[in-house]
Amino acid sequence: MKENFSGRSRFVNYLVPLCLFAASWPVGRTGGALYALGALILAGLSFFLFRHLVHQINQAEQRSCELDEQLIQSQKLAAIGELSSGIAHEINNPLAIIGQEVEWLRHLFETSTLQEEKDRGEFSDSLKQISSQVDRCRDITHKLLNFARKMDPVMQAVELNRLIDDMAALVEKEAKLNNINIIREFQKDLPLVTSDPPFLRQVILNLLNNATYAIEANGTITISTKDNKDGRVEIAVADTGRGIPKEHLKKIFDPFFTTKPPGKGTGLGLSICHGIIQRVGGTISVISQLDRGTTFTIRLPIAP
Amino acid sequence: MPSFKVLVVDDEFDFLETIVKRLQKRKIDATGVGSGLEALKLLEETSFDILILDVKMPKMDGIETLKEIKRRWPAVEVIMLTGHASVESGMQGMQLGAFDYVMKPAKLDDLIEKMVQAYERKLLREKQIR
């Protein structure tokens, strides 16, 4: 019995797992299908989630671009607003005085025959006041015109190599303190260029200053000139600095675009450079590689 | 040599005296004053073509003087001349409309050449405005 039992139990011992196995066979296959289905659902879910995320990121980026643009626009408008409110204020004061004097003249005219010495005196005082206020207005408009003209380039012959060398010498003193070397690769027989010297100085100084900022310490700025033989000369300012990320490259000439902390830069330097180079008939472009450096290239017409 | 009138503004009296003397020896009509305020006062009475302006001066410094001059007499061409050159003040000066920013010591010939160019610019600009 015992034997039997043990024999039977041995049989049961085999049978149970066998039955379980047999039973679980189809279940296992269904389980596999279930797993596959689960994986499929998961994959689908993550796919949709991923797409949704990418979409969200894109939208956020677009929104931030739009915000940037709005910000630039509003800053521009603020600048114009400030300027025009200043002008309005300056001109409104003399206008108010003129208006007042006209009222007084009208009053005199209605109440007096202007035969008396005293009335005639007042009349002529008012005229004098009006005339001097008109002069004041003319002064204001002339100053404004002068301000606008300041932006017009004055074209004269420029020895480019010398002009650049002067500006490099100015930056060199401070650059050396940070172990930044300035290498000059000037073409010797560069033709005289007809351009606006102070404007060019401003641009070169700006680019050299940016280059030292990009390097911070220990690096090289190479500034070169060459005759392109197509009626243009080329100036290149190359630094071994941190480089400019791709997403910033197309924005760097935009007004008010800056990566410097607030208060450290107006974001106007490069946009002013761009404006100047355009006004003297040239072009300015940039190439950059992260952690390798940046090169700005200016092409200037030899004759305007 | 074209004839133009130069005003040199520098608070270092020795430098001022010498440079004015040397310019006059070259037949350049040069005058010297020791501060920005004196320069503004003189400009109210007399007209000058070119200003040589020191950057570092007590009370009213070169940048402030430049700002005021360009506001009131934009036709005057200004050459900044400085013993304490800094990139920052150089950029400021050029942005405010200076013709050039020159470091001391500068050779007199170089300085005169820059004056000639600055004067040429003044004449060209007057022609443009007309």
Side-chain angles (χ1 to χ4, degrees):
Chain A
M1 223 10 232
K2 215 184 172 183
E3 277 262 277
N4 235 349
F5 181 80
S6 65
R8 224 176 72 197
S9 78
R10 209 175 288 138
F11 174 75
V12 169
N13 273 355
Y14 284 108
L15 188 73
V16 170
L18 199 77
C19 280
L20 271 174
F21 178 75
S24 73
W25 177 246
V27 174
R29 278 181 55 169
T30 334
L34 267 174
Y35 280 133
L37 196 70
L40 203 71
I41 290 168
L42 261 176
L45 255 175
S46 52
F47 174 72
F48 280 111
L49 208 67
F50 181 70
R51 247 186 39 168
H52 182 69
L53 267 175
V54 168
H55 183 69
Q56 288 262 311
I57 290 167
N58 277 341
Q59 264 191 338
E61 208 164 305
Q62 204 179 336
R63 265 203 300 273
S64 98
C65 276
E66 277 165 17
L67 267 178
D68 273 357
E69 235 144 76
Q70 278 171 11
L71 206 61
I72 288 168
Q73 281 303 331
S74 66
Q75 269 166 322
K76 270 188 206 161
L77 285 177
I80 293 169
E82 203 174 308
L83 185 72
S84 41
S85 79
I87 297 163
H89 187 75
E90 291 256 348
I91 291 183
N92 266 340
N93 283 334
L95 280 182
I97 299 173
I98 291 169
Q100 211 164 269
E101 295 297 332
V102 168
E103 281 303 308
W104 184 240
L105 282 178
R106 197 172 280 149
H107 167 76
L108 280 177
F109 215 66
E110 281 164 2
T111 55
S112 149
T113 51
L114 297 177
Q115 296 303 318
E116 275 178 58
E117 191 70 28
K118 188 183 134 246
D119 290 345
R120 292 174 72 88
E122 289 216 24
F123 199 89
S124 107
D125 276 355
S126 278
L127 282 182
K128 246 187 243 160
Q129 185 62 262
I130 288 173
S131 147
S132 91
Q133 294 304 320
V134 169
D135 282 350
R136 196 172 149 193
C137 286
R138 188 185 311 136
D139 247 26
I140 295 163
T141 53
H142 275 199
K143 259 179 210 154
L144 270 175
L145 283 178
N146 260 327
F147 179 77
R149 277 185 196 122
K150 244 200 300 202
M151 307 307 282
D152 288 341
V154 178
M155 306 299 256
Q156 54 187 136
V158 187
E159 259 182 80
L160 258 190
N161 286 347
R162 231 183 111 186
L163 184 148
I164 294 169
D165 187 48
D166 283 351
M167 293 303 110
L170 175 59
V171 176
E172 210 155 35
K173 270 177 91 182
E174 283 174 36
K176 273 201 178 128
L177 297 177
N178 295 318
N179 198 25
I180 297 170
N181 261 322
I182 300 183
I183 298 173
R184 297 153 168 88
E185 285 176 0
F186 296 157
Q187 185 177 318
K188 272 191 186 129
D189 50 351
L190 203 70
L192 276 179
V193 173
T194 305
S195 199
D196 184 303
F199 274 173
L200 292 185
R201 287 191 187 100
Q202 200 182 328
V203 172
I204 302 292
L205 203 52
N206 227 306
L207 292 183
L208 287 173
N209 187 52
N210 281 351
T212 57
Y213 182 83
I215 295 172
E216 279 178 272
N218 311 316
T220 313
I221 301 171
T222 308
I223 181 152
S224 56
T225 57
K226 75 169 195 227
D227 184 357
N228 263 359
K229 303 285 178 196
D230 61 351
R232 293 181 159 243
V233 291
E234 196 176 291
I235 308 163
V237 179
D239 68 62
T240 58
R242 65 179 86 115
I244 303 164
K246 233 185 196 156
E247 66 269 25
H248 291 167
L249 261 186
K250 55 184 178 206
K251 290 193 211 159
I252 54 166
F253 293 116
D254 291 353
F256 304 112
F257 177 75
T258 182
T259 55
K260 291 181 186 174
K264 289 283 176 192
T266 54
L268 284 175
L270 278 176
S271 89
I272 288 174
C273 289
H274 187 257
I276 285 174
I277 294 300
Q278 253 182 350
R279 256 177 274 146
V280 297
T283 59
I284 181 167
S285 58
V286 59
I287 48 169
S288 186
Q289 233 181 326
L290 270 185
D291 301 320
R292 290 279 182 84
T294 304
T295 304
F296 283 91
T297 307
I298 297 169
R299 292 182 185 85
L300 288 176
I302 291 171
Chain B
M1 173 81 63
S3 72
F4 46 81
K5 283 180 73 181
V6 182
L7 177 62
V8 187
V9 190
D10 202 313
D11 63 314
E12 275 174 70
F13 184 72
D14 291 337
F15 174 82
L16 188 67
E17 201 183 31
T18 314
I19 195 170
V20 169
K21 233 188 262 170
R22 289 174 75 199
L23 287 172
Q24 284 169 346
K25 220 174 184 178
R26 300 279 193 103
K27 304 267 179 286
I28 291 172
D29 185 348
T31 311
V33 289
S35 75
L37 283 172
E38 278 175 82
L40 295 177
K41 224 166 151 191
L42 193 57
L43 273 165
E44 275 170 16
E45 299 156 13
T46 324
S47 71
F48 288 91
D49 299 302
I50 291 155
L51 239 84
I52 306 290
L53 188 58
D54 187 26
V55 174
K56 207 174 176 188
M57 292 187 291
K59 279 187 194 162
M60 191 180 199
D61 71 12
I63 294 292
E64 256 176 276
T65 312
L66 172 71
K67 226 186 260 178
E68 195 57 20
I69 285 167
K70 280 289 162 184
R71 193 175 70 81
R72 292 168 67 182
W73 302 280
V76 180
E77 289 296 344
V78 180
I79 297 172
M80 309 292 285
L81 181 65
T82 175
H84 315 268
S86 84
V87 180
E88 181 64 37
S89 75
M91 297 216 301
Q92 261 183 317
M94 294 315 299
Q95 221 159 57
L96 287 168
F99 177 77
D100 204 346
Y101 190 94
V102 182
M103 281 181 285
K104 281 184 196 169
K107 281 187 202 145
L108 194 68
D109 282 328
D110 288 350
L111 199 59
I112 290 174
E113 206 188 313
K114 286 186 191 299
M115 287 183 206
V116 172
Q117 284 166 1
Y119 183 58
E120 183 193 50
R121 179 180 175 85
K122 186 172 183 259
L123 295 181
L124 282 168
R125 196 206 294 274
E126 277 163 13
K127 227 198 263 170
Q128 258 180 27
I129 290 176
R130 249 178 250 140

